[in-house]
Amino acid sequence: MPLQMKLSAITLDCPDPLALAAFYQQATGLEPHPRSDAEFAGLTREDGLFIGFQRVDDYRAPSWPGQIVPQQLHICFKVVEELDEAEAQLLELGAGKPEQQDEDRYRVLTDPAGHPFCIVRDR
């Protein structure tokens, strides 16, 4: 029988865990973990999924699409809004918009700590 694994957590390195948690909380509606602090913050979902943010001294943001500092991780989110609308909302929250490759199918943005993530239309 093949191994069955269920994703339980994703943790991102960053310079400011509370600020990055606030960005993702506003973008996703996930609940802040009650023991979040300046060293490690988290968000939780009802089904147990946890997104963590850990402080790293001398953090260097990924350089996407270049590879001077590799992205190391890429998260994708489905959105119910049109891509233009979702992108505008995320940019207002502090996301960045690097060079794009296929804006009709998806958008690649960066969170305030520089991690690339994409949004795709949930059809």
Side-chain angles (χ1 to χ4, degrees):
M1 180 159 101
L3 179 65
Q4 295 183 15
M5 299 188 330
K6 179 180 177 184
L7 180 64
S8 62
I10 297 168
T11 300
L12 302 172
D13 291 347
C14 62
D16 185 343
L18 292 172
L20 196 55
F23 169 80
Y24 279 104
Q25 193 276 325
Q26 291 175 2
T28 65
L30 296 176
E31 293 296 318
H33 191 277
R35 293 189 300 207
S36 294
D37 61 31
E39 294 298 315
F40 191 91
L43 301 173
T44 59
R45 194 168 68 184
E46 288 179 9
D47 67 358
L49 180 64
F50 180 87
I51 301 177
F53 311 94
Q54 66 185 5
R55 190 177 76 74
V56 171
D57 292 330
D58 301 320
Y59 172 78
R60 290 179 49 203
S63 58
W64 193 92
Q67 293 297 308
I68 294 170
V69 179
Q71 67 181 347
Q72 302 171 13
L73 175 72
H74 187 108
I75 303 172
C76 293
F77 295 93
K78 289 183 177 179
V79 296
V80 295
E81 299 85 0
E82 293 298 324
L83 289 177
D84 288 341
E85 181 183 342
E87 176 186 298
Q89 291 177 25
L90 289 161
L91 292 173
E92 285 181 26
L93 293 176
K97 185 177 178 183
E99 179 182 328
Q100 299 296 298
Q101 296 176 348
D102 189 352
E103 286 192 273
D104 292 334
R105 292 185 27 223
Y106 59 89
R107 305 285 166 82
V108 177
L109 303 173
T110 55
D111 67 25
H115 304 104
F117 67 94
C118 68
I119 54 173
V120 297
R121 182 91 163 94
D122 188 9
R123 297 186 190 252

